[in-house]
Amino acid sequence: MMTVAAARALTDDDVCFVGIGLPSAACNLARVTHAPNIVLIYESGTIGARPSALPLSIGDPELCETALTTVSVPELFAYWLQGGRITVGFLGAAQVDRFGNINTTVIGPYAHPHARLPGAGGAPEIASHCQEVLVIVPHTRRAFVPRVDFVTSVGHATGGDARARLGLHTRGPTLVVTDLCLLRPDPETRELVVTGIHPGVRREEIAARTGWPVRFAAEVAETPPPQAHELAALRDLVARSAPAAPAP
Amino acid sequence: MDRPRRRRPRFLSLPDAIAAHVHDGDAVAMEGFTHLIPFAAGHEVIRQGRRDLTLYRMTPDLLYDQLIGMGCVRRLVFSWGGNPGVGSLHRFRDAVEHGWPRPLELEEHSHAGMAAAYAAGAAGLPCAVLRAYTGTDLPRVNPRIRFLTCPFTGEQLAAVPAIRPDVAIVHAQRADRAGNVLLEGIVGVQKEVVLAAARAVVTVEEVVDDLRPGGPNAVVLPAWTIDAIAVVPGGARPSYAHGYYRRDNAFYAAWDAIARDRETFLAWMRAHVLEARPPQVTGQTGTA
């Protein structure tokens, strides 16, 4: 449900900077279902990749073989991302807080972490330069924290107009997709608010698995259940995928 | 006064190339963005027992996990350290979280910052200027990320020091007999790191009479940008060489269990690196 709901947030007109794992699964599902002309860009420099299966890594050979063009990594980050030519970035997270800030660096203090995570990669500038950002993350109390231990990639910072005051003119996180629900930033405070709930999920469950007193929008929609063709396309992608590709 | 001579690469065996160009305490960058990672050369660095290295790499993955776990590394400059699509690098984590086999100093960037720093190094600039790090905690933990004001617009911009390693090591598809090197497919930051480094070692799949560039985005490194070339077929495995062999995704997945435990890791390294013979080298001499 999470991958299907995330895929639906993408359109045929998007130029999308794809993170590996769940974001890649969602982006490719969108491409093989309702958005056949979406342009997928991986940070290895492949622009317009059309893999037949889900790649294990951002640099799998099929991404390059199916791409419109492959550019160097400095060019990708300078001309394409910093240059403002990407409409949407799609990121995963280890922690996300109530203002959509993302942590993929450390759990605990930086100098003596409880857990050392992979770090930033392309995410800080994806979060600041893409016109908007989508986040996909399984809904747990460990992931949904009031304040991230480390801001790897800025969301709406401390809320309100804080993002604009940092000099960022892109929209930042506009949607967080979880296995339970959809959250969007409140137009004023920028706090993430539940705006959609997946079929069969109760509000108490969402509240129990969120590390802050989560608010629900005045109107909360029920996510339409996955359709047969969406599930078939997703199963097909996973079946063709490399060993150990994460099961979405 | 003699005019300085153009550099000419020497065709060497892999052990000789590493012995000549990688010394204890050096700053070494082994690049390859998923594609063309110089595994064979890195394993030779481990076999030769180099110590106190500062390693640069945007995406330290299995090869750097191995170098860190074998105690070769004092300091790591990087932007993303993981096993892509699989999970953590356990030897990297063990070094950071528990100081085993020795503590690891970190200098941490984003991909955008590090890619720009390589490009600045290649361009002979002292630093790279870019729009980056805004609102993040990275500048708080990395004092080498700083900010300056654009003299034309007044905008606040990030600055990171150029990367100028002592030695760059990359793997490529082929060289011609003069030592010009062709790389194609995902080209990563390999051109930049070779041009940024004081010395460059390249391993290649084969030496050919004619490079036959494969496509308009193929990267050719002229011979005079390179110090040593070693012919090492399969030198990027379990990474891959576009047009030669595929990425061994199953090994990347298997590494998770191998590296999770210190003893399992050491046993694997003994069997597959320390006691392994260096990859067969053809003794190709070329004309350089």
Side-chain angles (χ1 to χ4, degrees):
Chain A
M1 184 71 247
M2 174 162 63
T3 308
V4 170
R8 288 174 184 162
L10 295 163
T11 77
D12 207 36
D13 289 329
D14 276 320
V15 177
C16 180
F17 205 117
V18 186
I20 204 64
L22 291 169
S24 176
C27 292
N28 280 291
L29 179 59
R31 183 177 59 80
V32 299
T33 54
H34 66 278
N37 298 303
I38 189 171
V39 177
L40 301 186
I41 299 184
Y42 287 80
E43 64 192 13
S44 54
T46 56
I47 296 179
R50 308 178 68 82
S52 66
L54 300 174
L56 178 64
S57 150
I58 47 88
D60 271 20
E62 201 188 0
L63 296 175
C64 181
E65 286 158 3
T66 60
L68 185 62
T69 183
T70 299
V71 301
S72 74
V73 169
E75 175 180 326
L76 184 74
F77 281 95
Y79 302 175
W80 301 92
L81 181 58
Q82 183 175 273
R85 290 176 174 82
I86 299 179
T87 62
V88 56
F90 213 131
L91 298 174
Q95 286 184 329
V96 58
D97 68 19
R98 65 198 298 167
F99 294 114
N101 301 298
I102 289 173
N103 175 15
T104 56
T105 301
V106 285
I107 305 296
Y110 184 80
H112 304 286
H114 308 312
R116 175 66 228 197
L117 307 172
E125 286 71 40
I126 292 173
S128 57
H129 297 324
C130 292
Q131 301 309 314
E132 61 184 283
V133 175
L134 310 179
V135 182
I136 181 167
V137 55
H139 210 130
T140 68
R141 227 181 155 82
R142 284 170 64 189
F144 281 78
V145 294
R147 188 79 186 141
V148 290
D149 291 350
F150 190 96
V151 180
T152 312
S153 307
V154 73
H156 297 287
T158 52
D161 64 350
R163 187 177 164 92
R165 280 188 280 112
L166 287 168
L168 297 174
H169 305 297
T170 50
R171 279 189 251 171
T174 53
L175 173 68
V176 177
V177 180
T178 81
D179 48 335
L180 302 182
C181 63
L182 308 178
L183 304 98
R184 296 179 201 276
D186 176 277
E188 296 297 319
T189 66
R190 305 288 177 186
E191 178 181 320
L192 291 175
V193 173
V194 178
T195 59
I197 299 182
H198 300 337
V201 175
R202 291 174 303 110
R203 290 189 176 208
E204 297 75 35
E205 194 179 351
I206 296 170
R209 281 161 67 176
T210 307
W212 68 86
V214 66
R215 291 201 300 116
F216 292 80
E219 290 191 23
V220 177
E222 178 170 298
T223 314
Q227 296 179 20
H229 79 276
E230 291 171 319
L231 287 176
L234 183 55
R235 289 195 188 108
D236 201 33
L237 276 174
V238 172
R240 283 198 302 266
S241 298
Chain B
M1 207 170 103
D2 283 346
R3 187 187 306 163
R5 289 298 179 97
R6 187 176 86 203
R7 195 160 35 143
R8 284 175 186 273
R10 288 197 295 158
F11 284 86
L12 299 173
S13 72
L14 180 60
D16 288 349
I18 296 302
H21 292 289
V22 182
H23 317 299
D24 287 353
D26 273 355
V28 184
M30 302 179 211
E31 280 292 353
F33 209 89
T34 307
H35 181 213
L36 294 173
I37 298 170
F39 270 92
H43 288 171
E44 186 59 30
V45 171
I46 293 171
R47 273 191 296 272
Q48 294 192 13
R50 294 282 76 79
R51 285 292 178 273
D52 288 321
L53 300 176
T54 291
L55 291 188
Y56 286 86
R57 183 175 167 83
M58 291 184 66
T59 54
D61 69 350
L62 272 51
L63 178 58
Y64 275 30
D65 211 29
Q66 295 167 353
L67 282 147
I68 290 165
M70 295 305 285
C72 305
V73 190
R74 179 176 62 81
R75 178 176 172 78
L76 177 68
V77 184
F78 76 112
S79 44
W80 192 90
N83 184 345
V86 177
S88 289
L89 294 179
H90 298 292
R91 296 298 96 226
F92 163 67
R93 281 188 61 168
D94 203 9
V96 174
E97 295 169 13
H98 307 111
W100 191 92
R102 53 171 297 170
L104 182 66
E105 297 170 27
L106 298 183
E107 179 182 330
E108 186 161 0
H109 293 269
S110 67
H111 278 352
M114 210 150 158
Y118 274 128
L125 291 167
C127 70
V129 174
L130 69 163
R131 284 201 184 100
Y133 301 113
T134 310
T136 79
D137 283 337
L138 283 160
R140 191 168 57 74
V141 299
N142 181 350
R144 289 160 74 82
I145 299 169
R146 299 187 191 172
F147 294 88
L148 48 73
T149 304
C150 171
F152 304 104
T153 65
E155 185 184 352
Q156 281 283 111
L157 297 166
V160 289
I163 297 175
R164 309 299 298 268
D166 295 310
V167 56
I169 303 177
V170 302
H171 186 74
Q173 276 95 348
R174 49 195 179 268
D176 66 17
R177 293 183 195 285
N180 299 296
V181 166
L182 180 136
L183 258 109
E184 58 188 337
I186 289 172
V187 296
V189 290
Q190 282 95 313
K191 187 172 204 164
E192 287 76 11
V193 72
V194 164
L195 297 180
R199 305 186 296 279
V201 174
V202 182
T203 55
V204 294
E205 290 294 322
E206 60 175 335
V207 174
V208 295
D209 292 329
D210 177 357
L211 286 178
R212 293 173 280 112
N217 65 347
V219 169
V220 175
L221 291 162
W224 45 272
T225 64
I226 294 163
D227 295 277
I229 298 175
V231 184
V232 186
R237 292 183 195 279
S239 164
Y240 70 105
H242 211 118
Y244 288 77
Y245 46 90
R246 306 286 290 182
R247 190 173 191 268
D248 186 354
N249 282 329
F251 183 80
Y252 281 83
W255 182 252
D256 190 76
I258 295 167
R260 197 174 282 272
D261 174 79
R262 292 174 184 172
E263 291 309 316
T264 315
F265 163 75
L266 289 171
W268 191 93
M269 292 300 291
R270 269 193 298 275
H272 298 275
V273 178
L274 294 181
E275 292 167 7
R277 293 196 2 236
Q280 192 57 47
V281 176
T282 62
Q284 181 69 53
T285 54
T287 56

